[in-house]
């Protein structure tokens, strides 16, 4: 059966990086025999300009009838004066809500070749490879009641979680941990918050069904400190909406550039894959964007939406190999290093992917 991918390149560097992710997916289709079909749809500023709205009906319909959505980025400075609800970013929020994914997966890898580019001492960060799983549809960001009191001098939000909401995201956490190093750190503030006490109790109960996964509970403040001092001590981190929002950005610092970070939002009607970065208007159209975040998002798409673990792992290897061989876009380059364009980086990763595959074949042939 064909894998139907709805492409939403969006604004700014979105189309440039999406093109390179598609290059890699086409390569995978050609070599694996898996039929992959693509349709392309407008979202964000480009849709406001053409269709008068950020998320046209046709785009939403295409997303809902696809097997997966691969998005570039949205946003353009010319819409900055508008109300939040009329800006391109509102279209992405509406799309995420319509697709209904409740688990946001943000891997953060310190590629050995980039360890020196991080704010860490290289020996502290080398080997760090984290997966943050953030609950996305509940908690403080959605809890009611919320608002301002009439005086305008008091404001309030509600932090609320139900067992069901915790169970479904914890299941994703345990299953991902099982596929990786079998280590899960559940993040909470159970010494202060009742919601965290429920979170901890539910995750502990579920842990009994995953005896092969080593579960630890870590207070969020301790987790922040550990991420900053010993990032290699974590593998999979399970977080509520607020803690995950903050810690996933902090974890991103181990990667060395925003341009290499991918993400997936899963568990809803259709899963959504997108690089973490925005539309980067300062470099759009110049061939300077790093496509690795988009390419690594495409690898996540193959892993989660097509169960093509082998092909996803080969892409991850190819990215690592390309970086190890010195491939650098501008955001990664040190003074004096050769700078590749977006397209050249995509081509270099495709070449590395072909080599990864060839190496495997010749190894099996021996
Ligand atoms: P940004 O992520 O677009 O850019 C931040 C900085 O990182 C810029 O200097 C940019 O040049 C650089 N950068 C980002 N991605 C890069 C890449 N792939 N390669 C090389 N350098 C890269 O964030 P911003 O400047 O705060 O926002 C720009 C626009 O994007 C705004 O309209 C914002 O609302 C929107 N935005 C969209 C998303 C999304 O679509 N998911 C996420 C964040 C921001």
């Amino acid at each position: 059966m064909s894998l139907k991918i709805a492409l939403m390149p969006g604004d700014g560097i979105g189309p440039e990086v999406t093109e390179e992710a598609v290059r890699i997916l086409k390569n995978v289709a050609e070599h694996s025999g898996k039929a992959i079909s693509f349709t392309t749809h407008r979202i964000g500023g480009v849709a406001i300009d053409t269709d008068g709205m950020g998320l046209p009906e046709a785009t939403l319909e295409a997303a809902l009838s696809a097997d997966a959505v691969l998005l570039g980025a949205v946003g353009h400075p010319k819409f900055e004066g508008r109300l939040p609800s009329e800006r391109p970013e509102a279209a992405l929020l509406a799309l995420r809500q319509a697709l209904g994914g409740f688990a946001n997966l943000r891997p953060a890898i310190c590629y050995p070749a980039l360890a020196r580019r991080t704010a860490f001492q290289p020996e502290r960060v080398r080997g760090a490879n984290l997966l943050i799983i953030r609950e996305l549809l509940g908690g403080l960001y959605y809890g009611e009641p919320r608002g301002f009191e009439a005086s305008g001098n008091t404001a309030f939000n509600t932090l609320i979680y139900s067992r069901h909401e915790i169970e479904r995201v914890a299941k994703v956490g345990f299953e991902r941990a099982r596929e990786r190093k079998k280590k899960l750190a559940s993040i909470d503030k159970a010494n202060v918050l009742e919601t965290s006490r429920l979170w901890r109790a539910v995750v502990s109960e579920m842990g009994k069904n995953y005896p092969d996964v080593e579960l630890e509970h870590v207070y969020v403040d301790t987790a922040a400190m550990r991420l900053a001092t010993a990032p290699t001590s974590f593998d999979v981190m399970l977080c509520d909406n607020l803690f995950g929002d903050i810690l996933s950005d902090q974890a991103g610092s181990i990667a060395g550039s925003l341009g290499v970070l991918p993400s997936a939002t899963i568990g809803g009607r259709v899963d959504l894959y997108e690089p973490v970065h925005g539309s980067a208007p300062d470099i759009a159209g110049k061939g300077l964007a790093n496509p690795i975040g988009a390419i690594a998002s495409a690898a996540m798409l193959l892993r989660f939406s097509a169960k093509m673990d082998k092909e996803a792992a080969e892409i991850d290897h190819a990215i690592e190999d390309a970086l190890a061989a010195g491939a650098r876009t501008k955001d990664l380059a040190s003074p004096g290093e050769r700078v590749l364009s977006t397209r050249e980086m995509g081509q270099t990763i495709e070449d590395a992917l072909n080599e990864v595959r060839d190496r495997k074949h010749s190894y099996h042939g021996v």
Side-chain angles (χ1 to χ4, degrees):
M1 268 224 317
S2 162
L3 175 69
K4 281 185 352 195
I5 301 180
L7 298 173
M8 310 203 170
D11 304 318
I13 61 170
E16 301 167 54
V17 297
T18 305
E19 196 177 324
E20 298 314 308
V22 170
R23 168 207 294 277
I24 298 297
L25 288 168
K26 285 185 173 164
N27 177 297
V28 168
E30 190 185 319
H31 289 87
S32 65
K34 173 83 182 172
I36 303 181
S37 64
F38 301 94
T39 53
T40 304
H41 311 275
R42 286 187 290 273
I43 191 169
V46 65
I48 295 177
D49 284 343
T50 314
D51 308 88
M53 63 184 80
L55 182 61
E57 195 59 37
T59 298
L60 183 57
E61 273 172 25
L64 291 171
S65 59
D67 293 316
V69 176
L70 182 61
L71 189 131
V74 297
H76 193 282
K78 75 176 177 187
F79 299 106
E80 243 149 51
R82 293 197 178 190
L83 288 172
S85 59
E86 291 168 8
R87 291 171 53 136
E89 293 83 347
L92 179 52
L93 297 182
L95 176 68
R96 286 182 185 147
Q97 213 151 24
L99 297 182
F102 59 80
N104 181 231
L105 276 53
R106 295 246 313 242
I109 298 174
C110 172
Y111 295 104
L114 302 184
R116 287 190 180 282
R117 287 204 55 82
T118 70
F120 292 84
Q121 289 164 334
E123 60 277 12
R124 266 187 207 273
V125 73
R126 211 170 268 129
N129 184 334
L130 305 171
L131 176 63
I132 307 249
I133 299 176
R134 167 185 172 196
E135 196 290 322
L136 204 60
L137 294 185
L140 195 60
Y141 292 4
Y142 290 95
E144 296 282 353
R146 61 188 294 163
F148 284 88
E149 285 188 355
S151 70
N153 295 323
T154 303
F156 51 95
N157 292 91
T158 301
L159 174 52
I160 180 164
Y161 267 111
S162 66
R163 172 176 288 273
H164 164 69
E165 288 171 302
I166 302 168
E167 277 174 355
R168 64 184 185 177
V169 72
K171 184 166 184 280
V172 175
F174 280 109
E175 284 173 359
R176 295 325 306 159
R178 211 170 230 181
E179 301 287 314
R180 294 169 49 109
K181 289 190 181 155
K182 300 185 169 35
K183 272 176 64 177
L184 180 67
S186 175
I187 310 304
D188 63 40
K189 189 73 185 166
N191 48 346
V192 178
L193 300 173
E194 283 75 9
T195 44
S196 277
R197 287 219 283 281
L198 178 66
W199 181 281
R200 190 176 279 220
V202 171
V203 174
S204 297
E205 276 171 36
M206 291 184 67
K208 294 182 187 139
N209 301 325
Y210 299 87
D212 52 323
V213 175
E214 182 193 324
L215 171 66
E216 66 169 333
H217 300 280
V218 186
Y219 293 138
V220 63
D221 40 345
T222 309
M225 175 64 103
R226 251 172 74 182
L227 269 179
T229 53
T232 54
S233 68
F234 287 117
D235 191 61
V236 181
M237 299 174 77
L238 175 67
C239 308
D240 79 357
N241 204 341
L242 174 69
F243 299 157
D245 188 6
I246 298 166
L247 292 184
S248 59
D249 266 31
Q250 192 193 340
S253 66
I254 71 168
S257 167
L258 183 57
V260 303
L261 294 169
S263 80
T265 303
I266 66 171
R269 284 175 65 180
V270 179
D271 295 338
L272 171 67
Y273 301 87
E274 50 181 324
V276 168
H277 62 74
S279 57
D282 52 330
I283 57 167
K286 297 179 180 163
L288 293 177
N290 187 338
I292 290 180
I295 292 173
S297 299
M300 293 184 86
L301 185 158
L302 293 178
R303 181 169 284 126
F304 297 122
S305 291
K307 308 285 169 248
M308 297 174 74
D309 271 3
K310 179 173 80 72
E311 287 76 7
E314 286 171 355
I315 296 173
D316 291 342
H317 267 143
I319 293 171
E320 189 165 343
D321 286 357
L323 291 171
R328 300 282 185 273
T329 38
K330 189 155 184 279
D331 55 314
L332 302 178
S334 303
E337 279 185 315
R338 179 170 172 240
V339 171
L340 299 185
S341 68
T342 309
R343 192 161 291 168
E344 285 170 329
M345 181 58 113
Q347 180 66 61
T348 305
I349 293 171
E350 184 177 14
D351 293 345
L353 179 60
N354 291 333
E355 275 175 34
V356 167
R357 223 182 267 121
D358 288 350
R359 267 204 309 270
K360 272 196 182 163
H361 284 158
S362 55
Y363 173 76
H364 287 302
V366 173

